[in-house]
Amino acid sequence: MVKKIRLGGVKEVPAVAVGCMRLANASASAEKFIGSAVDSGLNFFDHADIYGRGECERVFSKAVKSLKIPRDKLIIQSKCGIVPGRMYDFSAEHIVSSVNGILERLGTDYLDVLLLHRPDALMEPAEVREAFSALERAGKVKMFGVSNMNAMQAELLQAGISQKIAANQLQFSPVHASMISFGIETNMNTEGAADRSGGVLEYCRLKNITVQAWSPFQYGFIEGTYIDDPNFAPLNKALEETGEKYGLDKTGMVAAWIARHPAEIQLVSGTMNLKRLGSICRGVSSKISREDWYKIYLAAGHILP
């Protein structure tokens, strides 16, 4: 049984979202991958209009059509707002046009969730409200959210729209945990005390906004996986040692570490490997001890003052 959480405190969804960023490069095995994911209870799929410049959505649509999966058995999320290499655009015209393109490529009449992808410095909440309301009235989007927004950016947007922000997709893992270290190292002159997110984790918990953890197995800005990387030897040792206690591999232990946080974070997987996806699933369904959570946190290079 796949662990469930409540997106935005409302909609029950799997604690693992199947990230589709690499789907265009796995088109030959997409049908098997998607079918197996759905069969195992993972029916929440995360897209963005820039993934493969739309090709990931087309591959997904083709596979779903071939598998004859009923639309109401799927929870489909996509993101818009990035104009590659040029700008971020939260204008009403761009949001509505982007969603229409997403729906066409996905071969569906609606999105369960739409996220705004990366903050637009020129955002006018009134324009976003216009777009969201039009999409909601037309039945094209059921729920709305954001991605990579800090607390005050989300608060500004929420004040200008009538729809609740249900999710905020943020990079989070043992090696990318400034949202955690910022709180632990409060009032310290240490690297981890730097506030890089405006207390966004606490803000999301207060507002019932689900944090979706993207690239949970990558270091830097998607520079590579830290699992089995010798540059992260202490972390890998801790993952291996704790994993032996819970019957999990290193990937599963990272998933368990993320799921252990009381914010009920939804992990965005990203892998196209069914075995690894299974490890992630087992991990989010395993509750690790407080001691082991901190052991992994420290092994990732963080401190306890």
Side-chain angles (χ1 to χ4, degrees):
M1 180 67 71
V2 177
K3 179 183 175 182
K4 303 282 189 178
I5 63 167
R6 289 198 173 273
L7 189 73
V10 177
K11 184 177 178 65
E12 187 175 81
V13 299
V16 176
V18 181
C20 296
M21 186 174 70
R22 298 178 176 87
L23 201 57
N25 296 325
S27 57
S29 57
E31 189 173 318
K32 178 183 177 182
F33 176 78
I34 292 168
S36 296
V38 172
D39 287 345
S40 63
L42 298 177
N43 66 335
F44 190 112
F45 293 90
D46 174 70
H47 291 271
D49 58 0
I50 63 164
Y51 293 168
R53 301 296 177 93
E55 187 60 23
C56 294
E57 292 166 332
R58 294 188 189 95
V59 170
F60 180 83
S61 175
K62 182 179 179 181
V64 167
K65 184 176 181 180
S66 179
L67 291 163
K68 298 181 180 178
I69 302 173
R71 176 63 182 88
D72 62 0
K73 299 300 182 184
L74 300 172
I75 303 170
I76 302 177
Q77 170 175 283
S78 195
K79 302 181 283 293
C80 72
I82 296 178
V83 182
R86 293 172 52 202
M87 60 183 177
Y88 300 150
D89 190 348
F90 285 3
S91 67
E93 180 182 10
H94 182 79
I95 293 171
V96 171
S97 174
S98 296
V99 170
N100 286 335
I102 289 168
L103 295 178
E104 181 180 358
R105 291 188 295 273
L106 286 172
T108 184
D109 295 328
Y110 68 95
L111 290 175
D112 294 281
V113 191
L114 172 70
L115 305 185
L116 297 179
H117 207 175
R118 293 277 170 195
D120 175 12
L122 304 182
M123 175 185 74
E124 292 280 4
E127 283 206 58
V128 178
R129 180 178 66 241
E130 178 186 340
F132 280 10
S133 296
L135 292 167
E136 187 177 51
R137 284 194 305 270
K140 293 181 177 181
V141 178
K142 306 298 184 183
M143 298 178 74
F144 298 85
V146 297
S147 182
N148 304 297
M149 278 197 181
N150 65 34
M152 291 311 295
Q153 289 169 330
E155 181 75 358
L156 173 64
L157 177 61
Q158 184 64 86
I161 62 177
S162 57
Q163 297 78 17
K164 181 187 185 303
I165 294 176
N168 191 358
Q169 197 167 113
L170 299 157
Q171 189 173 11
F172 181 67
S173 72
V175 303
H176 196 102
S178 63
M179 293 190 297
I180 300 289
S181 65
F182 156 67
I184 288 178
E185 297 175 48
T186 293
N187 200 36
M188 301 288 294
N189 292 321
T190 52
E191 174 65 21
D195 180 6
R196 296 181 173 85
S197 59
V200 70
L201 181 59
E202 290 77 14
Y203 173 83
C204 287
R205 293 183 71 184
L206 285 168
K207 301 294 184 178
N208 262 334
I209 298 172
T210 297
V211 171
Q212 296 179 332
W214 64 265
S215 287
F217 307 103
Q218 300 275 327
Y219 64 88
F221 186 68
I222 320 181
E223 293 172 29
T225 180
Y226 52 84
I227 292 178
D228 293 328
D229 185 325
N231 292 314
F232 297 89
L235 174 58
N236 278 282
K237 181 181 179 183
L239 292 172
E240 184 173 3
E241 289 175 350
T242 54
E244 289 176 359
K245 293 174 58 176
Y246 301 98
L248 299 171
D249 60 15
K250 295 173 186 176
T251 296
M253 276 308 301
V254 171
W257 186 87
I258 291 171
R260 178 63 175 81
H261 195 278
E264 289 202 318
I265 295 167
Q266 186 182 36
L267 185 151
V268 183
S269 61
T271 184
M272 293 290 106
N273 182 298
L274 286 170
K275 182 179 178 181
R276 195 169 298 124
L277 189 61
S279 294
I280 293 168
C281 248
R282 288 188 292 276
V284 299
S285 299
S286 303
K287 186 169 183 178
I288 64 175
S289 70
R290 186 184 300 265
E291 181 181 5
D292 288 330
W293 189 91
Y294 275 102
K295 178 176 181 177
I296 291 168
Y297 178 78
L298 290 169
H302 307 292
I303 65 168
L304 295 179

